[in-house]
Amino acid sequence: MSTPPTTTRVLVCEDQALVRAGFVTIFSAQPDMQVVGQAADGRAAIHLAQELKPDVIVMDIRMPVLDGIEATRRLAGPDSPEPAKVLVVTTFNVDEYVYEALRAGASGFLLKDAPPPELIHAVRTVARGDSLLSPVVTRTLIGRYAERLRPADAPASPERDRLKALTPREHEVLLLISEGLSNIEIATRLVLSPETVKTYVSRILAKLDLRDRVQAVVLAYRVGLAPGGERP
């Protein structure tokens, strides 16, 4: 007898009623998902998240009362006693906020117009404790703001000093993580086994005291390790 799949409890936070209803319909149709609540503004999102303890919070960036970035920071940021798993949804016309959302503690982000299978996959990925960073979105959204992320007046920041703990190979893996590559893609690029890459990633996160790959990408851009645009 097969074991039934674990149900992922989802909180949908989106101020546009039509979009919110669409998300609810998509998630509710999945046998392994349950929508436990809906919020139309950031303050309500925080209240419901603290009350319902969802497995994943799908968070819009632009919402009234309190925006999604601040709501994410309070729910998943470094000062949160029990950081929540937040999947930020955004559109290209608000891409300047994506970096701040990731710094606030989001486990990943997805474009609002992503097809339902991608949205479902994103929620399952974040629920597993993994981060979600599409290579294309990473380069387009974060890379576009690389100069702002790497202030010229802080070349010797403590964040840069933290990288000294990494070996040359770990530096190389971190650079590929910053491009949004998966473990399998990194393994192919470096001619390593996926298991070996997974070990490298775990060591990098531990040495740099990072929660997940998203924070690794943010750090790489802040210290100037990652390029501002696509690699040749």
Side-chain angles (χ1 to χ4, degrees), residues 6 8 10 22-35 56 58 87 89 109-128 130 132:
T6 302
T8 298
V10 182
F23 285 167
V24 171
T25 298
I26 291 170
F27 299 141
S28 297
Q30 307 310 306
D32 59 340
M33 293 184 188
Q34 175 189 7
V35 177
V56 176
V58 177
L87 172 66
V89 289
F109 59 85
L110 195 69
L111 299 180
K112 243 181 207 181
D113 59 357
E118 287 188 20
L119 183 61
I120 294 166
H121 170 72
V123 170
R124 288 174 178 154
T125 297
V126 171
R128 289 197 306 266
D130 296 330
L132 185 83

Side-chain angles (χ1 to χ4, degrees), residues 170-191:
E170 289 166 349
H171 270 276
E172 195 171 10
V173 172
L174 177 57
L175 179 58
L176 295 178
I177 291 174
S178 74
E179 292 184 14
L181 271 63
S182 67
N183 284 357
I184 293 178
E185 291 168 330
I186 294 173
T188 300
R189 181 80 67 88
L190 300 180
V191 195

Side-chain angles (χ1 to χ4, degrees), residues 110-203:
L110 195 69
L111 299 180
K112 243 181 207 181
D113 59 357
E118 287 188 20
L119 183 61
I120 294 166
H121 170 72
V123 170
R124 288 174 178 154
T125 297
V126 171
R128 289 197 306 266
D130 296 330
S131 57
L132 185 83
L133 283 173
S134 162
V136 173
V137 176
T138 299
R139 292 172 184 152
T140 302
L141 298 184
I142 300 182
R144 184 178 302 173
Y145 295 92
E147 292 308 316
R148 182 171 66 87
L149 308 188
R150 301 197 297 265
D153 58 351
S157 67
E159 290 179 326
R160 184 183 296 276
D161 291 338
R162 289 161 63 187
L163 297 182
K164 295 177 181 178
L166 303 182
T167 65
R169 177 62 93 180
E170 289 166 349
H171 270 276
E172 195 171 10
V173 172
L174 177 57
L175 179 58
L176 295 178
I177 291 174
S178 74
E179 292 184 14
L181 271 63
S182 67
N183 284 357
I184 293 178
E185 291 168 330
I186 294 173
T188 300
R189 181 80 67 88
L190 300 180
V191 195
L192 299 170
S193 70
E195 292 74 18
T196 299
V197 173
K198 184 176 180 180
T199 299
Y200 275 124
V201 173
S202 296
R203 288 176 181 171

